[in-house]
Amino acid sequence: MTIPMVFILLSIIFVVLRVMPGDPVSSMLGGHAPDSVIEEKKEQLGLNRPLPIQYVEYLVQICRLDLGDSMVFNERVTKSIADKLPATIELTIFGSIITLVLGVFMGAYAADKRRQPQDYLIRFYGIVIYCIPVYWMGLMLQLIFGIWLDVLPIAGRTGPRVFASMFEKTGFYIVDTILVRDFSALADVLVHLILPSVTLGLVLSGVFVRLTRANMLEVLKADYIIAAEARGIRHRKIVYKHALKNAFIPVLTMMGLQFALLLAGAILTETTFSWPGMGRLLLERIYLRDYPTIQGIIIVFVLIVAMVSLLVDIIYAIIDPRIRY
Amino acid sequence: MKFWKLLIYCAIVLTLALFPIQGFAKSDTLVYGTTEKVTDMDPAHAYDFHTWEIFYNIYQGLLTYPAGKTDLAPGLAENYFISVDGKEYTFELRKGLKFSDGTPFDASAVKWSVDRVIALKGDPSWLVTEFVDRVDVVDKYTVKFVLKNPVAYFPSLVASVPYYPVNPNIYPVDKIIRDPSEMKGGKLVGLGPYVVRSFKRDQEIILEANPNYFGPRPKTKRIVIRYFADATTMRLALEKGEIDLAFKTLNPSDISDLEKSNKINTIKAQGPYIRYLCFRCVGPPFDDKILRQAVAAAINRPPLIQKVYLGQNAPLYSMVPMGMWSHTDAFKTVHGDGNIAKVKKLLASKGYNEGNKLAFDLWYTPSHYGDTEVDLAAVLKNQLEATGVMKVSIKSAEWATYKDNWKNKLMSAFLLGWYPDYIDPDNYTAAFGQTAGSRGMGIFFSDPVWDKKLTEGQTLADMQKRTAIYKEVQQMWTVDVPTVPIYQGILYVFTQKSVGGVLLSPTLRFNYDPIYKD
Amino acid sequence: MPFSPATGLAQLISRFTGMGKKYGVEWWILVAGALIVLAIVLMAMFSGAIAPFNPHDQNAGPQLAPPGGQHIMGTDNLQRDVWSRIIFGSQTILRIAVLAAIFSSIIGISLGLVSGFSGGFFDRVLSLVMDSLYSFPGLILAIAFATMLGPGVINITLAVSVIYIPTYFRLVRGQTLSIKEELYVEAAKAIGASRFTILWKYIFPNVIATTVVVFSLNIADAIMIEAALTYLGLGLPPSIVDWGMDLAMGKKFLPSGQWWLITFPGAMISMLAIGFTMLGEGLSEILNPRLLER
């Protein structure tokens, strides 16, 4: 993602937000506030100035790396984002691990068993799982594991008796609980991660099954694989070590591109599992028309997407020795 | 092999998961679950039911409602006197009180706090500025409120949160506080039975008994308020015994299941919360009161409540809620429920019939009043259309837009709800029927006779005369119908069997200090 | 040989299986997808005839009755028949998804054609805009647009279509760029064909084939975005029957044992999306034989 692209996105979001009916002041004040107070607040927040001026000021503010204050609550935007970001990151990391493990292994297996029933089954799984809305998958898992079998918690980051304020430092609960060595709290945090990350991981694994399978098919046809077979190296080792390693590089690139999909999935997963992350924050603030916070969240999303593609490039260079920057 | 390593890690995680979670909470701790949210920890700006509830427990008013009661009792003030013209209220404060940090409490703290609310112009500041001209410190333990006009219900106003004295040493004069961490010293310092020990927004608030509290010691030493993002999780936590008490707001289906459960205690009380339908009384179609009457007669409350809320609210036939003095079932006797014959007759007189239906938009807001709202709109539409002479289209807007819409007169009929600011019939009537209040709610009803009557109710001190006035106003409501009352909320608290001392009252106050755990 | 229904049918079947032999599993994926889509389209077209109840009838049966008897999918808390709501809900989702796909393909294809053909500053700016839209999570854009436009069928359709315009644009622009270098386009230019004629007669027909596959996959995706928007409560008034909305309403009955309120609407959304995806997958393998691995 390039700088001009970020700029264009921000401009689009700016325009969309200002065209939306409603404004942050009326959502903040109760029905009793007299018009004079409302006008005063609008003046104070700069909402009465012409849009082009607001736009330029907004861009200047962004360039100074300042996300500003919320227009609805007495809160810095950076603070409300910092409160919610770790939850989303924890969820997406675990979700993508599950996606990768499931997707890559199933894809490799399918390629190995090409044109056999296992292959068809896995490909069918790929299509079906991709088409299941992530929130419905979440609800069904909640119903089965949370209500019927009653083995897993269905929502939130911790149970009601584990108090985050007792251990919270970084906001990443796994790290925090390890830092204070509260292992029962850690176990609770991990148990709460299971259903949301499995949901997110399962739904996105479909894409990776297909990708890995397609790449594996290419790689398995390559000369060096055939040569390895001829040399009598164990078939399983060839497929899952040599071939998979080579097929993995394009998959990883796709992972970078699919990260936007992962974030979108995370928003829906967060809503279903009451996960206190960025997605829920975004929805809540859209309802309140809290312009600075919405813009701040979008910027953070854009930054994450950009950072992931950078990260993918770096990993790419490490895995594939032919690439040098 | 990396794969095997991963598998081992998974195994470790699973073993950890199987360890029982050591309950952090001990028996002197009560965990209270809610789906509400705290807004600003500042009496100058907080204007919502739940934040006020916390203030009831960490601060005190000059006058207060004891747990479970609807009559005012002395709080920080031992006594008060009213001047003959009804415009001066003098309060004599208790002596020797201390804030939880040891700062002595006196009349200057009262004046400082009220002046601060006036100066900051926060959301609820109108509760002070509309009535109070100035506050005078008479002596160290005497404070005098000078009012703009005589106000019959001023004592109940004084019991509301914007009048609460705060510690001048920790609240900034010119800034509204959101989190306790922003205060001088980084801690909330109060006068009530509890103090805030730790505060984590949207997660939990830990309260501990205030050692400097002048009243009886709270029965439970520590209260943890646990914030749930959804009702489903809260219900499951209650059933598993992970929380001791759940209050506001469970889904109707959860409430009916929990009520049947023999492992859970149910405490139920009439709430002061009402829902109603508003009309825009200017412009077609509802500038015509006959049409408003027709809609009022078409609504059928009991089946509506059964469908949408599984029967968990009470049908309401007046804007003054049940349980409050002067309440009458005016709409029941005049319009009835689902009175189709009457609707047809009324509309026929205006030329509407099966061939020429009265068509209008019915507005609702999808998340502000919870997700049952869409059902409420759907059922209302069905009931109105069941008369055969109305055609209703449902429209919705998020809260921010909704408010703009009513100010801009865009909605001909719309659903709203009301939590009282102070406990008096005036708060349920003047806000909708008096010209100024009505304009603010998007109703735009204006009638000099009503204005005069309601002003009289505000200023007269004689209870009997006031009761007569509000009874008359409720009767007038059935004729002019600026709004149609639909239902009154019922409050539900669910607790474990071991928990006692939960006292609910129609004042919506929920005091934590009488609650105990065996 | 005289035509008879029996031989006609036999021919049809043999052609069907012949195609199956020729294209293998892909053919059957295509057929299965088409059948699912067909079934739901028929459901939408003949809703009134199939549905046992009016979907808005609030006295269709007892409150929250489990599936069985008169109500094969049970009833909801407003005493409406879930199966009838499922049937009528198919109309809403199909209409929005198909309209959104048509809308975004028309805009995306025409912008892509013009942009790729004319090149220059216009092309660079438009590509940049489209690329930035493309790289951002579509759902968030759709949420923003849906909030901006407010609730309603048309507005939701627009919000959904916005996020697919870049997909068509990028596809078509890329192809236009390569086709415009082809000899026959050069030839057309040489004989003095107008720019419009070249675009319409020489480039467009070559581009359209690939977009067919994307179109079908696009509908599948639009179905899920539409349902996501209405699930999040952005979108439609209750007078419109919609699966996503019913799913959101049923969510709160999760712990009370009324599983049918969430199971059926969600299953239908998945089925419909699966149908269109299989259709698209099958088409793509058959239309682009070079991708076909044997």
Side-chain angles (χ1 to χ4, degrees):
Chain A
M1 210 149 180
T2 57
I3 303 247
M5 279 161 75
V6 174
F7 169 78
I8 287 171
L9 261 179
L10 290 180
S11 309
I12 293 174
I13 294 296
F14 183 88
V15 173
V16 168
L17 286 180
R18 303 304 150 130
V19 175
M20 275 185 194
D23 64 73
V25 174
S26 45
S27 74
M28 159 175 58
L29 297 171
H32 287 296
D35 289 347
S36 62
V37 174
I38 291 183
E39 279 311 304
E40 199 177 310
K41 277 261 153 58
K42 281 190 180 171
E43 198 65 50
Q44 209 182 320
L45 294 171
L47 289 172
N48 282 344
R49 275 171 298 168
L51 276 186
I53 294 181
Q54 287 189 44
Y55 177 63
V56 171
E57 282 183 349
Y58 164 61
L59 289 184
V60 170
Q61 195 188 26
I62 298 295
C63 292
R64 282 189 285 131
L65 298 178
D66 178 9
L67 296 183
D69 296 315
S70 157
M71 283 189 183
V72 178
F73 302 112
N74 303 306
E75 201 169 59
R76 300 282 303 162
V77 169
T78 34
K79 184 179 179 293
S80 34
I81 291 182
D83 275 353
K84 307 284 179 187
L85 190 59
T88 299
I89 293 184
E90 236 172 40
L91 175 62
T92 38
I93 287 179
F94 275 75
S96 32
I97 289 174
I98 291 174
T99 294
L100 269 183
V101 170
L102 268 181
V104 168
F105 279 97
M106 286 173 85
Y109 183 72
D112 187 28
K113 304 278 176 204
R114 179 162 53 120
R115 302 247 151 208
Q116 289 172 28
Q118 293 101 313
D119 179 28
Y120 292 126
L121 206 68
I122 289 177
R123 288 173 69 191
F124 188 65
Y125 161 87
I127 292 181
V128 169
I129 205 84
Y130 179 75
C131 291
I132 295 181
V134 62
Y135 43 90
W136 186 60
M137 167 90 81
L139 286 174
M140 293 314 281
L141 291 180
Q142 284 180 332
L143 185 65
I144 296 167
F145 294 99
I147 311 285
W148 287 346
L149 300 177
D150 194 17
V151 288
L152 288 172
I154 62 165
R157 287 181 85 188
T158 63
R161 301 232 148 192
V162 174
F163 303 128
S165 54
M166 293 290 128
F167 57 73
E168 179 153 2
K169 282 188 184 69
T170 62
F172 296 94
Y173 284 2
I174 295 182
V175 179
D176 289 342
T177 48
I178 291 174
L179 282 180
V180 299
R181 293 190 185 71
D182 185 346
F183 292 107
S184 60
L186 175 65
D188 186 57
V189 167
L190 288 173
V191 169
H192 277 82
L193 256 170
I194 294 177
L195 278 188
S197 48
V198 165
T199 304
L200 191 55
L202 270 181
V203 168
L204 291 177
S205 67
V207 180
F208 289 90
V209 167
R210 297 178 44 182
L211 272 173
T212 318
R213 180 179 172 276
N215 282 309
M216 279 294 279
L217 286 178
E218 289 294 313
V219 173
L220 285 175
K221 274 189 248 161
D223 294 341
Y224 64 94
I225 297 290
I226 298 168
E229 291 267 14
R231 247 183 284 144
I233 301 174
R234 270 201 3 248
H235 178 70
R236 196 191 282 171
K237 198 172 174 189
I238 295 173
V239 173
Y240 294 102
K241 197 161 179 199
H242 301 286
L244 188 55
K245 194 177 164 191
N246 283 291
F248 190 64
I249 294 169
V251 172
L252 201 66
T253 323
M254 268 315 276
M255 181 89 194
L257 292 177
Q258 293 287 337
F259 201 77
L261 200 66
L262 191 68
L263 279 181
I267 291 183
L268 292 169
T269 315
E270 282 177 12
T271 328
T272 305
F273 288 96
S274 304
W275 195 257
M278 299 279 282
R280 278 173 57 94
L281 182 70
L282 178 70
L283 279 181
E284 181 189 298
R285 295 305 164 92
I286 283 183
Y287 292 146
L288 295 175
R289 308 286 185 272
D290 186 356
Y291 304 147
T293 313
I294 301 167
Q295 288 158 349
I297 295 170
I298 302 282
I299 291 173
V300 171
F301 274 147
V302 170
L303 284 180
I304 291 176
V305 172
M307 259 162 56
V308 167
S309 48
L310 184 72
L311 201 72
V312 166
D313 283 347
I314 294 171
I315 297 177
Y316 208 104
I318 295 170
I319 294 185
D320 190 343
R322 281 170 303 181
I323 298 169
R324 286 279 169 267
Y325 290 100
Chain B
M1 281 269 310
K2 277 180 189 157
F3 179 72
W4 292 114
K5 265 189 197 163
L6 196 85
L7 212 68
I8 290 168
Y9 287 139
C10 287
I12 293 174
V13 166
L14 275 177
T15 349
L16 275 174
L18 291 176
F19 275 117
I21 293 153
Q22 291 156 8
F24 171 86
K26 300 177 200 76
S27 66
D28 60 350
T29 303
L30 182 118
V31 185
Y32 157 21
T34 183
T35 59
E36 297 279 309
K37 277 185 173 177
V38 172
T39 53
D40 299 291
M41 289 303 275
D42 192 332
H45 201 250
Y47 196 19
D48 65 288
F49 165 76
H50 180 71
T51 315
W52 277 22
E53 178 189 304
I54 293 175
F55 287 152
Y56 296 145
N57 289 287
I58 61 174
Y59 292 112
Q60 262 307 330
L62 298 180
L63 301 174
T64 188
Y65 293 96
K69 301 275 167 53
T70 48
D71 301 318
L72 276 173
L76 298 173
E78 284 180 310
N79 224 334
Y80 68 94
F81 306 99
I82 313 170
S83 67
V84 184
D85 63 357
K87 282 171 77 171
E88 287 181 12
Y89 281 73
T90 311
F91 294 86
E92 287 183 344
L93 305 181
R94 278 177 209 268
K95 296 181 180 68
L97 298 191
K98 279 183 192 149
F99 285 99
S100 54
D101 66 340
T103 316
F105 163 76
D106 56 27
S108 62
V110 179
K111 178 177 166 54
W112 188 89
S113 305
V114 176
D115 284 350
R116 179 174 176 271
V117 170
I118 295 171
L120 282 174
K121 292 187 191 157
D123 223 2
S125 62
W126 70 275
L127 282 167
V128 179
T129 51
E130 293 261 294
F131 310 101
V132 176
D133 183 40
R134 62 171 201 278
V135 186
D136 293 335
V137 176
V138 178
D139 62 45
K140 198 172 178 205
Y141 292 109
T142 314
V143 66
K144 185 166 80 182
F145 286 79
V146 181
L147 307 188
K148 291 175 173 165
N149 291 302
V151 182
Y153 46 87
F154 189 67
S156 25
L157 277 173
V158 165
S160 72
V161 168
Y163 286 84
Y164 275 20
V166 297
N167 188 336
N169 296 336
I170 65 153
Y171 274 92
V173 191
D174 52 352
K175 200 176 153 284
I176 287 160
I177 290 286
R178 179 159 169 82
D179 282 7
S181 59
E182 296 162 31
M183 293 174 176
K184 297 175 198 164
K187 245 184 188 165
L188 242 171
V189 172
L191 270 167
Y194 284 97
V195 282
V196 175
R197 174 65 55 221
S198 86
F199 179 96
K200 168 93 183 118
R201 183 167 294 280
D202 297 344
Q203 296 261 0
E204 74 241 351
I205 295 180
I206 302 181
L207 301 175
E208 266 173 20
N210 175 7
N212 289 341
Y213 180 56
F214 64 90
R217 281 193 75 76
K219 295 249 172 63
T220 303
K221 197 173 154 232
R222 183 153 44 171
I223 307 255
V224 179
I225 306 175
R226 178 79 208 197
Y227 292 91
F228 286 86
D230 67 315
T232 302
T233 325
M234 182 159 92
R235 172 222 165 127
L236 294 176
L238 184 72
E239 284 177 324
K240 286 183 188 154
E242 292 169 334
I243 57 175
D244 299 306
L245 183 153
F247 181 36
K248 281 187 80 80
T249 306
L250 287 155
N251 292 319
S253 51
D254 298 328
I255 291 177
S256 60
D257 285 356
L258 289 170
E259 259 190 307
K260 283 178 222 140
S261 162
N262 51 12
K263 286 188 296 189
I264 304 284
N265 274 344
T266 309
I267 298 110
K268 213 156 98 159
Q270 193 93 71
Y273 168 58
I274 63 167
R275 294 300 309 271
Y276 46 91
L277 178 70
C278 297
F279 297 109
R280 181 195 60 205
C281 299
V282 287
F286 290 117
D287 50 354
D288 187 342
K289 68 181 177 195
I290 301 296
L291 302 187
R292 304 200 293 261
Q293 288 173 7
V295 172
I299 295 174
N300 194 355
R301 294 167 185 81
L304 178 143
I305 292 168
Q306 177 57 38
K307 279 189 174 141
V308 184
Y309 307 100
L310 305 175
Q312 288 153 7
N313 287 308
L316 180 64
Y317 298 96
S318 158
M319 291 300 281
V320 175
M322 290 170 272
M324 181 166 281
W325 53 273
S326 83
H327 166 87
T328 62
D329 279 341
F331 273 76
K332 190 173 196 170
T333 42
V334 176
H335 296 299
D337 271 309
N339 194 343
I340 294 180
K342 181 168 185 184
V343 176
K344 284 194 167 152
K345 210 174 112 216
L346 284 170
L347 286 184
S349 73
K350 291 292 168 182
Y352 294 103
N353 52 45
E354 273 86 354
N356 174 31
K357 292 181 180 181
L358 167 65
F360 63 95
D361 292 342
L362 173 67
W363 287 75
Y364 75 100
T365 180
S367 47
H368 190 75
Y369 297 110
D371 54 6
T372 43
E373 203 61 10
V374 55
D375 283 349
L376 177 60
V379 172
L380 271 178
K381 175 187 155 86
N382 261 38
Q383 292 192 344
L384 296 173
E385 290 189 339
T387 59
V389 286
M390 288 189 213
K391 176 94 192 79
V392 180
S393 3
I394 299 182
K395 297 257 170 80
S396 72
E398 274 303 331
W399 188 237
T401 319
Y402 207 62
K403 275 187 184 166
D404 271 10
N405 284 354
W406 87 51
K407 284 195 183 106
N408 298 328
K409 305 185 188 169
L410 293 176
M411 307 190 288
S412 52
F414 53 102
L415 289 161
L416 278 182
W418 189 253
Y419 277 112
D421 304 296
Y422 46 90
I423 304 302
D424 193 273
D426 172 67
N427 196 235
Y428 288 93
T429 48
F432 312 98
Q434 214 167 18
T435 305
S438 175
R439 193 192 316 121
M441 306 302 302
I443 298 165
F444 300 97
F445 176 77
S446 180
D447 185 331
V449 180
W450 281 58
D451 286 352
K452 188 165 162 282
K453 194 107 272 135
L454 288 167
T455 313
E456 234 180 299
Q458 279 156 358
T459 44
L460 282 179
D462 185 332
M463 265 305 267
Q464 257 174 352
K465 280 185 194 153
R466 290 194 75 204
T467 311
I469 286 172
Y470 288 115
K471 284 208 158 125
E472 201 187 329
V473 167
Q474 288 173 71
Q475 212 54 44
M476 285 152 67
W477 218 281
T478 61
V479 179
D480 284 316
V481 202
T483 64
V484 186
I486 299 174
Y487 72 83
Q488 181 171 357
I490 292 177
L491 301 173
Y492 283 88
V493 176
F494 293 99
T495 68
Q496 302 297 342
K497 285 281 178 202
S498 58
V499 175
V502 175
L503 299 168
L504 280 181
S505 86
T507 60
L508 250 176
R509 276 185 200 235
F510 181 34
N511 294 58
Y512 305 155
D513 49 312
I515 305 175
Y516 59 86
K517 216 172 132 183
D518 289 330
Chain C
M1 196 168 87
F3 181 82
S4 78
T7 51
L9 196 68
Q11 261 179 0
L12 201 68
I13 289 172
S14 77
R15 194 182 269 180
F16 233 68
T17 45
M19 292 287 265
K21 285 210 184 80
K22 188 172 169 205
Y23 292 112
V25 153
E26 280 67 32
W27 171 253
W28 296 112
I29 288 181
L30 178 81
V31 171
L35 282 179
I36 295 177
V37 170
L38 188 71
I40 297 179
V41 167
L42 286 176
M43 191 190 240
M45 283 169 68
F46 302 105
S47 300
I50 311 169
F53 295 94
N54 178 330
H56 296 292
D57 181 359
Q58 296 181 355
N59 282 309
Q63 198 169 23
L64 295 170
Q70 232 193 331
H71 305 280
I72 58 171
M73 288 185 183
T75 58
D76 67 5
N77 59 323
L78 302 189
Q79 307 179 9
R80 298 174 299 199
D81 180 52
V82 175
W83 169 229
S84 305
R85 290 184 70 77
I86 292 282
I87 293 172
F88 275 90
S90 61
Q91 295 180 346
T92 313
I93 198 161
L94 271 176
R95 190 178 300 150
I96 292 178
V98 172
L99 269 181
I102 291 174
F103 191 74
S104 52
S105 61
I106 289 176
I107 295 195
I109 292 174
S110 40
L111 282 180
L113 274 174
V114 173
S115 186
F117 187 68
S118 59
F121 181 70
F122 173 72
D123 178 44
R124 251 183 295 160
V125 170
L126 204 58
S127 304
L128 200 61
V129 171
M130 291 293 173
D131 282 351
S132 40
L133 283 179
Y134 185 75
S135 59
F136 198 65
L139 181 69
I140 298 178
L141 276 182
I143 289 172
F145 276 91
T147 323
M148 178 179 88
L149 297 167
V153 173
I154 302 294
N155 293 349
I156 284 285
T157 311
L158 290 179
V160 174
S161 52
V162 164
I163 60 180
Y164 298 110
I165 292 175
T167 318
Y168 288 102
F169 175 86
R170 286 159 56 101
L171 185 76
V172 170
R173 180 179 168 272
Q175 294 212 332
T176 311
L177 280 180
S178 61
I179 293 171
K180 101 177 161 183
E181 306 300 327
E182 297 272 340
L183 203 60
Y184 64 91
V185 177
E186 292 293 327
K189 263 188 205 160
I191 60 166
S194 75
R195 289 162 67 87
F196 179 79
T197 317
I198 295 173
L199 261 184
W200 181 245
K201 289 232 167 112
Y202 296 88
I203 300 182
F204 178 69
N206 288 298
V207 166
I208 195 72
T210 41
T211 56
V212 171
V213 173
V214 178
F215 189 77
S216 180
L217 295 176
N218 176 193
I219 294 180
D221 222 51
I223 284 165
M224 285 191 288
I225 294 281
E226 189 270 354
L229 288 179
T230 49
Y231 172 75
L232 292 174
L234 294 157
L236 298 171
S239 43
I240 291 173
V241 187
D242 179 80
W243 294 343
M245 244 163 36
D246 280 359
L247 187 55
M249 292 314 297
K251 190 183 163 187
K252 56 177 179 280
F253 293 95
L254 189 81
S256 312
Q258 281 93 16
W259 54 271
W260 56 94
L261 295 179
I262 54 167
T263 309
F264 297 122
M268 288 308 290
I269 298 169
S270 311
M271 279 291 281
L272 189 54
I274 290 170
F276 275 106
T277 308
M278 284 167 75
L279 193 63
E281 292 287 322
L283 276 179
S284 96
E285 307 266 340
I286 287 165
L287 290 179
N288 300 329
R290 67 195 156 81
L291 292 179
L292 210 64
E293 42 87 20
R294 313 232 104 214

